[in-house]
Amino acid sequence: EALVTESFTAARAYGVEDSVLASLAETFPGIDWERQGTYFFQRVIQHGRRRAEEMREAAETVREIGLEPWSAAGTAQRQAFVADLADAGAMGDRLAVRTDWRIDADRMLAARARPR
């Protein structure tokens, strides 16, 4: 979820979301990426705080075996970033049913531009 929301938001910022979605559809033809992206944004907005904590714990578990937890740590950071935005009201109604991931990507991009 964190990777998709980050990737889709970056694609949106560069104006290449249609190309990214087409590439994903070609690689994973059984997945409706428009729908999946919208669902993933909704899940991160609603559950990002808890999931960030879970991923921090996962990162610590990886760290304990002597590996740097790049993926787990990054996932925790992205989940926490969106949770912070949602807590601040920047993502709209946290419990609203999402209909288009682009709306939430635009909200993330707008929040990024504002000083906190």
Side-chain angles (χ1 to χ4, degrees):
E1 293 169 355
L3 181 58
V4 167
T5 59
E6 179 176 276
S7 299
F8 279 29
T9 300
R12 181 93 170 134
Y14 283 106
V16 296
E17 64 266 31
D18 291 339
S19 296
V20 169
L21 289 166
S23 176
L24 285 168
E26 186 176 317
T27 305
F28 303 100
I31 299 173
D32 178 344
W33 284 101
E34 287 284 349
R35 195 169 133 230
Q36 196 67 48
T38 299
Y39 177 73
F40 282 168
F41 271 87
Q42 181 162 355
R43 302 297 290 172
V44 173
I45 291 164
Q46 289 178 349
H47 305 292
R49 182 73 56 215
R50 176 179 52 82
R51 290 188 175 161
E53 290 302 320
E54 292 168 352
M55 289 309 298
R56 284 188 191 102
E57 290 176 21
E60 186 54 36
T61 300
V62 171
R63 192 173 283 111
E64 287 173 359
I65 63 165
L67 292 176
E68 189 61 35
W70 298 316
S71 296
T75 297
Q77 288 177 306
R78 180 59 58 210
Q79 293 275 7
F81 172 78
V82 176
D84 289 346
L85 292 179
D87 288 349
M91 300 305 291
D93 181 356
R94 183 187 304 256
L95 299 178
V97 174
R98 268 48 195 165
T99 58
D100 184 349
W101 65 266
R102 289 167 182 81
I103 295 167
D104 293 314
D106 289 344
R107 288 173 172 160
M108 286 175 60
L109 292 167
R112 166 213 60 190
R114 279 183 268 164
R116 290 190 222 184

